[in-house]
Amino acid sequence: MKEIRILDKKFRELITEKAIRNRLDELARQMNSDLAGKDVVFLGILNGAFLFAADIFRRIDIKARISFVKLASYEGTSSSGTIKELIGWNEDIKNKTIVVIEDIVDTGNTLERIVDELAIRKASEVKIATMLFKPAAFTKDISLDYVGFEIPDNFVVGYGLDYDGYGRNLPSVYTLIK
Ligand code: IMP
Ligand code: MG
């Protein structure tokens, strides 16, 4: 088992690069078949989803566009409790099929915020794709259409996800060793 260190913490490999690649193929195949004939905008949520969004999008062979928005927090690095604003909207999403591309759905707070915003902007249909999902931490009643991997409720890094800004470039997913 591969182990790595980032700053003060140790992590163990949880999902290999090859497993990620295989799952990407499956998810994209499913999307290509589900979304054929629609006017689709893939909406990547920065920063974490940049790799997943790129890897999925290059496997998409239907008519589609891609755009990115970013959640700007007003304070700190913790995802809990802070008010966040979604910035960077430059795509008209009214009456479009939107595929939200997330790196991870944890509590679902972020996702809920995005789904609400898409309703305000009158998307005709919203699909959710996330590379990772922590079912044990999820508190919302939102259905996820494309899930890469369900994982335990433990902190992870790699494949876009960071610990204090580092680890996003790791090609596989690592879990914290407590
Ligand atoms: P949620 O709002 O609780 O679902 O969490 C959303 C955001 O917190 C994600 O988009 C990530 O940026 C971050 N996050 C949640 N869990 C992890 C983790 O295990 N590692 C790194 N970032 C995480
Ligand atoms: Mg994120």
Side-chain angles (χ1 to χ4, degrees):
M1 264 297 158
K2 266 194 256 179
E3 283 189 17
I4 53 152
R5 172 178 288 278
I6 301 175
L7 303 175
D8 59 330
K9 300 212 182 326
K10 278 164 89 179
F11 296 84
R12 173 188 312 114
E13 191 174 49
L14 180 69
I15 308 170
T16 64
E17 198 177 348
K18 185 164 183 290
I20 292 172
R21 234 177 5 247
N22 291 341
R23 191 71 186 119
L24 286 165
D25 289 341
E26 291 172 359
L27 291 176
R29 202 176 307 131
Q30 206 183 325
M31 289 178 191
N32 283 324
S33 116
D34 292 351
L35 305 169
K38 298 189 173 181
D39 194 0
V40 185
V41 179
F42 285 77
L43 188 70
I45 313 302
L46 295 173
N47 293 324
F50 75 106
L51 285 182
F52 180 42
D55 284 348
I56 278 291
F57 199 63
R58 81 174 100 215
R59 288 168 167 82
I60 294 299
D61 56 22
I62 56 169
K63 190 179 164 210
R65 292 187 285 175
I66 189 163
S67 190
F68 291 87
V69 291
K70 189 178 168 88
L71 275 156
S73 1
Y74 290 109
E75 54 158 291
T77 50
S78 145
S79 79
S80 58
T82 42
I83 302 159
K84 288 180 173 177
E85 191 191 356
L86 273 164
I87 58 170
W89 296 95
N90 50 22
E91 196 77 36
D92 184 17
I93 61 169
K94 195 173 171 183
N95 300 328
K96 303 265 162 49
T97 294
I98 307 300
V99 182
V100 174
I101 304 286
E102 260 289 24
D103 50 354
I104 186 165
V105 174
D106 190 332
T107 62
N109 289 332
T110 306
L111 184 62
E112 185 177 59
R113 180 79 190 71
I114 292 158
V115 167
D116 287 350
E117 186 80 26
L118 288 169
I120 291 165
R121 288 166 189 269
K122 300 196 168 15
S124 63
E125 184 184 21
V126 176
K127 303 264 189 198
I128 311 295
T130 186
M131 190 61 199
L132 304 175
F133 176 42
K134 293 178 180 171
F138 194 52
T139 60
K140 309 293 173 187
D141 187 20
I142 301 172
S143 66
L144 307 178
D145 302 277
Y146 307 100
V147 174
F149 300 91
E150 291 193 356
I151 60 169
D153 186 9
N154 189 26
F155 191 78
V156 290
V157 292
Y159 195 64
L161 290 140
D162 71 301
Y163 168 51
D164 232 356
Y166 295 98
R168 294 192 195 276
N169 52 326
L170 294 165
S172 48
V173 173
Y174 290 79
T175 190
L176 180 67
I177 300 169
K178 286 179 186 156

